[in-house]
């Protein structure tokens, strides 16, 4: 360098100064100490979470679309329940005896201590086995069909299911105080109307048991539950 001319030394100094100036200019274009920006591959920007717990993700047009979150799990959209319930028909065949399958009768009186006791008998006249359970309905009627007295009362008892094969019978007790003994007002029925349990259609039986109480003291008529047999 001792042999260099003053002109060459000035040129080298100018080149070095220009290089230093260019380096300072490049550093002044950004913030001092700022980290370089991250480069994201693809065209969509990453989703950002807002303070309210809602994530936003821009659509292709650039407009963010909200995705509702609950407990950190995205809530799916609800869809209508298209499942249908299949109702199976009740295929169990009823074994109850129907009125059309029965024949009614009133058995022989078994009196005692001023009390009249008649068995009301229902017999299975059909070709199938059927059942009776509970109390019969009953009412005394005159020749024109008008009811005499009140409906019979049901006595306490535990109903049982009575199975009747063809030709078999069940009976219920019909009891009342003799009107001549009790002093109740009496009437003479023409028929006893009997309705099987859980049926609507009645059966009519000719009444031959004499006078029955229809009003006044001791005029109650009572019925018991059905039991197997004819009550004889």
């Amino acid at each position: 360098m001792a042999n260099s001319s003053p002109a060459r030394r000035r040129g080298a100094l100018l080149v070095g100064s220009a290089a230093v100036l260019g380096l300072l200019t490049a550093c002044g274009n950004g913030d001092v100490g700022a980290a370089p920006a991250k480069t994201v591959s693809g065209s969509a920007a990453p989703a950002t979470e807002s303070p309210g717990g809602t994530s936003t993700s821009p659509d292709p047009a650039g407009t963010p679309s909200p995705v509702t979150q609950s407990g950190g799990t995205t809530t799916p959209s609800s869809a209508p329940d298209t499942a249908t319930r299949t109702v199976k028909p009740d295929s169990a065949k009823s074994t109850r005896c129907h009125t059309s399958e029965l024949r009614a009768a009133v058995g022989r009186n078994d009196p005692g201590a001023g009390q009249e006791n008649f068995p009301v008998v229902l017999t299975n006249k059909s070709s199938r086995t059927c059942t009776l359970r509970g109390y019969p309905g009953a009412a005394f009627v005159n020749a024109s069909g008008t009811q005499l007295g009140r409906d019979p009362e049901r006595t306490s008892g535990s109903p049982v299911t009575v199975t009747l094969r063809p030709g078999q019978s069940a009976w219920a007790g019909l009891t009342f105080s003799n009107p001549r003994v009790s002093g109740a007002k009496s009437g003479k029925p023409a028929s006893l109307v009997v309705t099987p349990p859980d049926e609507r259609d009645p059966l009519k039986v000719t009444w031959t048991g004499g006078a029955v109480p229809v009003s006044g003291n001791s005029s109650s008529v009572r019925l018991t539950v059905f039991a197997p047999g004819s009550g004889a």
Side-chain angles (χ1 to χ4, degrees):
M1 296 293 291
N3 297 325
S4 298
S5 65
R8 293 182 63 181
R9 288 199 298 270
R10 284 196 299 271
L13 181 62
L14 290 174
V15 172
S17 299
V20 172
L21 181 61
L23 179 61
L24 291 175
T25 302
C27 291
N29 288 335
D31 294 336
V32 177
K38 294 182 180 179
T39 302
V40 181
S41 61
S43 59
T48 59
E49 178 138 358
S50 65
T54 301
S55 296
T56 58
S57 177
D59 60 16
T63 303
S65 301
V67 180
T68 303
Q69 293 185 339
S70 176
T73 303
T74 302
T75 304
S77 60
S78 59
D81 184 6
T82 57
T84 57
R85 180 182 298 175
T86 301
V87 179
K88 295 182 180 180
D90 183 7
S91 59
K93 185 176 181 180
S94 173
T95 61
R96 186 180 80 244
C97 295
H98 301 294
T99 301
S100 60
E101 299 174 308
L102 299 169
R103 179 176 64 252
V106 176
R108 185 174 52 126
N109 184 19
D110 183 19
Q115 194 80 9
E116 310 298 324
N117 305 292
F118 294 87
V120 177
V121 183
L122 293 180
T123 302
N124 182 5
K125 67 176 185 178
S126 74
S127 59
R128 76 174 184 111
T129 298
C130 61
T131 60
L132 292 174
R133 181 182 176 88
Y135 297 84
F140 293 113
V141 297
N142 60 20
S144 62
T146 301
Q147 182 171 335
L148 303 177
R150 297 175 297 176
D151 289 341
E153 299 176 0
R154 294 178 174 181
T155 64
S156 59
S158 299
V160 296
T161 300
V162 182
T163 301
L164 301 180
R165 293 185 177 88
Q168 291 185 326
S169 301
W171 70 282
L174 176 71
T175 65
F176 54 87
S177 297
N178 188 307
R180 291 192 299 270
V181 176
S182 66
K185 184 177 180 180
S186 64
K188 190 172 182 180
S191 303
L192 176 69
V193 176
V194 181
T195 306
D198 300 316
E199 291 290 301
R200 293 180 179 274
D201 297 328
L203 298 166
K204 185 178 286 188
V205 184
T206 300
W207 179 257
T208 58
V212 301
V214 294
S215 64
N217 295 333
S218 303
S219 61
S220 295
V221 179
R222 295 178 175 83
L223 282 169
T224 68
V225 296
F226 273 110
S230 61

